[in-house]
Amino acid sequence: MNRNAELFQKMLTIRSFETLLLEKFSTGIFTGTTHTSLGQEANAVGVLSHIQENDVVVSNHRCHGHFLAYGGDPLALYAELMGKPDGVCGGVGGSQHLHWRNFYSSGLQGGTVAMAAGMAMAEKRKGDKAIVIDFMGDGTLGEGIVYESLNMISLWQLPILIVLENNHIAQTTPAELAIAGDISQRFEAFGIPAARIDSSDILEISPLAEALIGRVRNESRPQALIIDTARLGTHSKGDDTRPGEVVEALWQERDPLTIHGSRLSEGVRSSITIKIEAYIQAAFTRALGKED
Ligand SMILES: Cc1ncc(C[n+]2csc(CCOP(=O)(O)OP(=O)(O)O)c2C)c(N)n1
Ligand SMILES: [Mg+2]
């Protein structure tokens, strides 16, 4: 399989997983809540395609895409969301609190940046060139702990790439009602360089992420990557106050699967789609059949 097809397949794995999750949520088989990353798949795959085995990934409440792009197993994630012992964390972590290998997520907004800072400090002290990738949302810029953490991250030159997925909304609050000034300057004020890209195209996001990850690793210092992106789904399961036509326009213009899928032939696209949908359906069915 060529690289374009592989990237499409990885993003489609996330999309199919979360689409089926939302479809089945109302049946009551899942515990707790859930946040999907529809529209943001190119960020997860574009960034995490470039990590090495010892690198650490810290994610937030919207973590399924990051987990799957990291290499996590869809069956174990479905089982986790069903609260089953075969889940990623034995069914006690749920949608937002995952830990597998060097992947960690937490629903505590902002707390993740502090966690990531501590982990990056540990990696720096070990001196084995491993780095930390920390995903956060734009709304999380409102948490004070972020700035305490950025100060330490810069002061101690911790090897961390902070990926700010700027989908311009926090739950139902548009960014323009909550965020003053220029987001890049929030990082730059602490001496952390911030690269910014407005794209849902994995072929634009991926090379930039690769270059920044290389710099963090080789120069052992922090870096921010701000990705202006689009949340195509609801915040959680049904809470979205944006007008339907606004969301529809985003689907037309900002769907990473459509953007990247157009580079593949119809035949390749449909054979990957059939394969991945069957794989995800089988993961769901097998997770459902596992003992509670
Ligand atoms: C400390 C804390 N406060 C509030 C919440 C509830 N909450 C969960 S997600 C969210 C909005 C997050 O917005 P953003 O950081 O932009 O991420 P996005 O949901 O857009 O990916 C809120 C308020 C929380 N999880 N943690
Ligand atoms: Mg947001």
Side-chain angles (χ1 to χ4, degrees):
M1 183 180 285
N2 70 27
R3 183 161 177 273
N4 274 349
E6 202 179 307
L7 292 173
F8 180 76
Q9 178 166 300
K10 283 186 182 168
M11 292 196 291
L12 187 65
T13 303
I14 300 170
R15 176 66 59 86
S16 303
F17 181 95
E18 294 193 313
T19 303
L20 188 62
L21 170 64
L22 281 180
E23 199 184 300
K24 300 287 184 188
F25 213 97
S26 58
T27 64
I29 49 175
F30 295 113
T31 60
T33 189
T34 198
H35 308 86
T36 62
S37 58
L38 307 186
Q40 300 182 200
E41 296 89 346
N43 307 342
V45 178
V47 172
L48 296 180
S49 304
H50 304 294
I51 60 169
Q52 297 179 0
E53 202 180 340
N54 289 339
D55 291 343
V56 178
V57 178
V58 177
S59 176
N60 58 4
H61 57 287
R62 207 172 292 289
C63 62
H64 308 154
H66 305 145
F67 174 78
L68 295 171
Y70 179 75
D73 178 14
L75 192 161
L77 185 53
Y78 274 137
E80 182 63 34
L81 300 176
M82 292 171 187
K84 301 199 175 200
D86 283 310
V88 183
C89 293
V92 297
S95 171
Q96 304 178 77
H97 301 100
L98 303 176
H99 170 226
W100 179 68
R101 297 191 177 166
N102 289 338
F103 183 96
Y104 302 82
S105 68
S106 165
L108 193 64
Q109 250 188 293
T112 48
V113 186
M115 274 168 53
M119 291 174 179
M121 185 166 193
E123 295 306 329
K124 184 154 186 143
R125 290 173 75 127
K126 277 195 269 174
D128 62 3
K129 290 234 164 211
I131 68 165
V132 175
I133 311 285
D134 176 34
F135 289 95
M136 67 180 286
D138 49 297
T140 303
L141 291 169
E143 295 288 338
I145 193 170
V146 170
Y147 303 95
E148 295 179 52
S149 305
L150 292 181
N151 184 59
M152 288 185 267
I153 286 169
S154 179
L155 191 64
W156 297 327
Q157 288 293 285
L158 302 180
I160 175 165
L161 178 70
I162 300 171
V163 181
L164 178 77
E165 295 187 81
N166 184 20
N167 58 15
H168 308 275
I169 193 164
Q171 204 148 353
T172 53
T173 307
E176 61 268 23
L177 295 186
I179 300 177
D182 176 350
I183 291 179
S184 302
Q185 290 175 359
R186 305 245 178 155
F187 297 95
E188 288 160 359
F190 291 95
I192 300 173
R196 187 163 185 170
I197 183 170
D198 181 356
S199 179
S200 298
D201 184 346
I202 192 157
L203 293 193
E204 292 176 353
I205 295 167
S206 173
L208 178 58
E210 182 177 25
L212 298 178
I213 284 173
R215 265 186 240 165
V216 171
R217 193 183 311 285
N218 297 330
E219 298 167 27
S220 188
R221 63 160 178 82
Q223 168 76 47
L225 168 59
I226 301 168
I227 306 175
D228 290 297
T229 186
R231 192 189 85 198
L232 299 181
T234 54
H235 169 69
S236 178
K237 300 176 301 291
D239 40 353
D240 199 338
T241 51
R242 296 174 295 181
E245 60 272 21
V246 169
V247 178
E248 185 47 41
L250 290 175
W251 274 101
Q252 295 301 323
E253 292 157 21
R254 300 291 305 227
D255 181 355
L257 272 301
T258 307
I259 294 169
H260 188 63
S262 69
R263 299 186 174 108
L264 308 178
S265 71
E266 172 64 37
V268 170
R269 215 168 40 234
S270 66
S271 74
I272 292 174
T273 304
I274 291 165
K275 180 177 72 178
I276 294 301
E277 285 179 354
Y279 168 62
I280 291 297
Q281 181 63 54
F284 172 80
T285 308
R286 284 181 52 210
L288 199 56
K290 296 274 182 191
E291 282 181 28
D292 286 321

